[in-house]
Amino acid sequence: MKNYRIGTTCVQGGYTPGNGEPRQIPIIQSTTFKYATSEEMGKLFDLEANGYFYSRLQNPTCDTVAAKICEMEGGSAAMLTSSGQSANFFSVFNLATCGDHVVASSAVYGGTFNLFAVTMAKMGIEFTFVAPDCTDEELEAAFRPNTKAVFGETIANPALRVLDIERFANAAHAHGVPLIIDNTFATPVNCRPFEWGADIVTHSTTKYMDGHGSAVGGCIVDSGKFDWMAHADKYPGLCTPDESYHGITYAERFGNEGAFITKATAQLMRDFGATPAPQSAFLLNLGLESLHVRMKQHCANGKAVAEFLKNNDKIAWVRYPDLEGDVDHALAEKYLPNGSCGVVSFGVKGGRKAAETFMKHLKIAAIETHVADARTCCLHPASATHRQMNDEQLIAAGVSPDLVRYSCGLEDANDLIEDLAQALNAID
Ligand SMILES: *Cc1c(COP(=O)(O)O)cnc(C)c1O
């Protein structure tokens, strides 16, 4: 199933049933797996044989769905996690430890910013945040001898800044470290970061991939292209024996294609247990089957809504990368030629109070912290997802205090626009 177009991979990737086997992916709702002898099971523990023994580490249903996402991104190996947060945590913690440093775009999801700047800082991992449109000199100056990775989002949630993936990949590689891209908003339907030099991709599958607001989840995909052994001094976790795993050296045993995901599974999933339920993986797969069809409608609705808002005199500003004249329009044309996503950010004239009035009058769009769902939803990040940030951090993340994030669902664009119009009219 490697060489089909993205739409075919969305529907059929990851699973090819044999004769008489279920057409839909089976939900293997089992914590454990049976073996006849201790010896056979021991081989699994030693990573000498492939197979399942305990669903905290790996489960067949979850692996089937991970394999589909792996094909969609064009990667070499992938794993599901219980949330986007755990995917991003694992992706960085698999490379960096106490005393290490990471360069990250400042335009990232609020939860990711908190994970990096607060929680992982407590673990002794330091982050330097750079603006996605920083100068080459600023980007260069962010690196240190102990830098272990660069992190950014294809389309930042909710700032909608588009990352110049190629530029960040080149900078990362010049310093011998991989680029990790959170590709949640674009999805592999609209952008495949590996084609632009990214090394590892993460997802909050909770968003468009699931698409129906039914299961929180995450995914990590490895491109298999980063040469760990060539930078063995930086990555002892991958390039020297793991005493907690029978002296295995991941990069030697599993190569560039398998080392990263095997280590993340064997160490991080084993110890942190951020594993998804097989039932959630099944629901995610249902979402993936229509992702390529849904993304078209999300993007068409996003464009229609952005154009309506741009021409409305109650609106102070609109950000949508596909809009002509948008600050990131050129980057969107390069990285997102088929459309960006269904999320539109804008400011309502009259600031916070006007925004509140407007939001109160919306009838179709529900006020939710959720985004990228079949049902249109709307949020004021400064008072919700980003409320832990001060004004300075908000600005750095590209989130002005008056920013409203409007996530176009799959409804008819004309109804969304009429709803927006009546809610804007309610502002005096
Ligand atoms: C929502 C989101 C996350 C966090 O994912 P959860 O599934 O909510 O844990 C991470 N990154 C981006 C870009 C997101 O939108």
Side-chain angles (χ1 to χ4, degrees):
M1 282 296 299
K2 279 278 186 263
N3 292 318
Y4 291 110
R5 289 165 183 80
I6 188 75
T8 305
T9 308
C10 284
V11 180
Q12 300 227 7
Y15 179 61
T16 312
N19 218 13
E21 287 178 1
R23 188 67 194 92
Q24 182 52 284
I25 64 168
I27 304 172
I28 310 295
Q29 191 68 52
S30 182
T31 58
T32 37
F33 301 83
K34 175 210 168 242
Y35 290 90
T37 67
S38 309
E39 202 188 345
E40 285 170 272
M41 189 174 214
K43 284 198 176 128
L44 302 178
F45 272 102
D46 290 350
L47 301 180
E48 273 168 15
N50 266 332
Y52 296 94
F53 51 94
Y54 191 50
S55 283
R56 165 150 48 78
L57 283 97
Q58 278 186 288
N59 170 279
T61 309
C62 299
D63 280 358
T64 300
V65 182
K68 173 180 279 191
I69 297 174
C70 189
E71 284 176 32
M72 289 164 66
E73 288 286 6
S76 65
M79 68 196 286
L80 295 191
T81 59
S82 58
S83 67
Q85 286 297 107
S86 49
N88 283 334
F89 172 54
F90 282 13
S91 74
V92 176
F93 198 60
N94 207 34
L95 299 172
T97 184
C98 185
D100 287 339
H101 172 259
V102 176
V103 176
S105 164
S106 60
V108 290
Y109 173 66
T112 304
F113 181 84
N114 201 64
L115 169 69
F116 290 173
V118 181
T119 301
M120 292 185 78
K122 282 182 197 156
M123 302 166 82
I125 301 170
E126 240 188 299
F127 288 77
T128 297
F129 293 92
V130 294
D133 56 358
C134 67
T135 64
D136 288 344
E137 291 70 33
E138 285 166 334
L139 184 52
E140 188 59 30
F143 285 88
R144 299 183 195 167
N146 59 341
T147 301
K148 296 300 166 78
V150 178
F151 185 98
E153 292 178 8
T154 313
I155 307 171
N157 174 11
L160 301 181
R161 295 309 308 254
V162 179
L163 193 77
D164 191 342
I165 298 173
E166 214 168 19
R167 183 164 85 96
F168 275 68
N170 288 339
H173 297 160
H175 289 270
V177 304
L179 174 65
I180 305 170
I181 291 289
D182 181 333
N183 197 31
T184 297
F185 266 27
T187 83
V189 170
N190 283 344
C191 179
R192 305 210 312 165
F194 294 155
E195 291 171 1
W196 301 103
D199 302 283
I200 289 145
V201 157
T202 62
H203 284 280
S204 165
T205 62
T206 317
K207 313 296 166 53
Y208 289 119
M209 283 189 163
D210 172 280
H212 302 79
S214 57
V216 172
C219 186
I220 308 173
V221 190
D222 181 11
S223 68
K225 288 188 194 136
F226 195 84
D227 190 348
W228 306 110
M229 277 304 193
H231 306 283
D233 55 322
K234 278 193 168 50
Y235 303 105
L238 283 151
C239 302
T240 58
D242 176 3
E243 294 313 333
S244 82
Y245 233 106
H246 322 291
I248 279 178
T249 300
Y250 295 100
E252 267 172 9
R253 177 80 75 84
F254 300 100
N256 293 341
E257 294 76 23
F260 186 87
I261 295 294
T262 306
K263 175 177 179 286
T265 304
Q267 289 179 344
L268 304 185
M269 210 47 121
R270 176 195 64 189
D271 294 353
F272 293 103
T275 196
Q279 177 75 38
S280 295
F282 177 85
L283 291 169
L284 168 58
N285 188 56
L286 285 183
L288 291 172
E289 287 181 0
S290 64
L291 182 66
H292 56 302
V293 181
R294 290 185 289 105
M295 286 311 286
K296 284 197 186 90
Q297 177 77 11
H298 282 298
C299 291
N301 284 356
K303 187 101 193 264
V305 161
E307 264 157 13
F308 163 77
L309 292 170
K310 194 180 170 188
N311 298 318
N312 190 288
D313 60 10
K314 299 255 169 92
I315 297 295
W317 54 270
V318 183
R319 282 282 342 276
Y320 189 66
D322 306 47
L323 273 188
E324 202 84 43
D326 185 84
V327 59
D328 284 339
H329 187 61
L331 287 172
E333 281 191 312
K334 174 174 175 177
Y335 292 106
L336 304 155
N338 301 321
S340 56
C341 64
V343 182
V344 183
S345 293
F346 56 92
V348 179
K349 281 183 192 162
R352 184 179 294 247
K353 196 164 174 296
E356 274 167 13
T357 307
F358 157 76
M359 287 185 54
K360 204 166 65 194
H361 283 84
L362 286 170
K363 293 195 171 80
I364 295 177
I367 296 175
E368 294 171 13
T369 51
H370 195 39
V371 71
D373 185 61
R375 289 144 293 224
T376 294
C377 47
C378 193
L379 182 79
H380 181 227
S383 57
T385 46
H386 286 59
R387 63 181 301 132
Q388 75 281 7
M389 288 189 182
N390 61 36
D391 277 5
E392 219 169 63
Q393 290 170 329
L394 277 177
I395 303 288
V399 183
S400 61
D402 67 341
L403 182 148
V404 173
R405 180 182 75 185
Y406 187 88
S407 170
C408 297
L410 299 174
E411 302 91 344
D412 190 304
N414 295 310
D415 287 327
L416 296 182
I417 288 168
E418 281 170 28
D419 188 35
L420 285 163
Q422 64 81 26
L424 287 168
N425 280 339
I427 305 169
D428 41 45

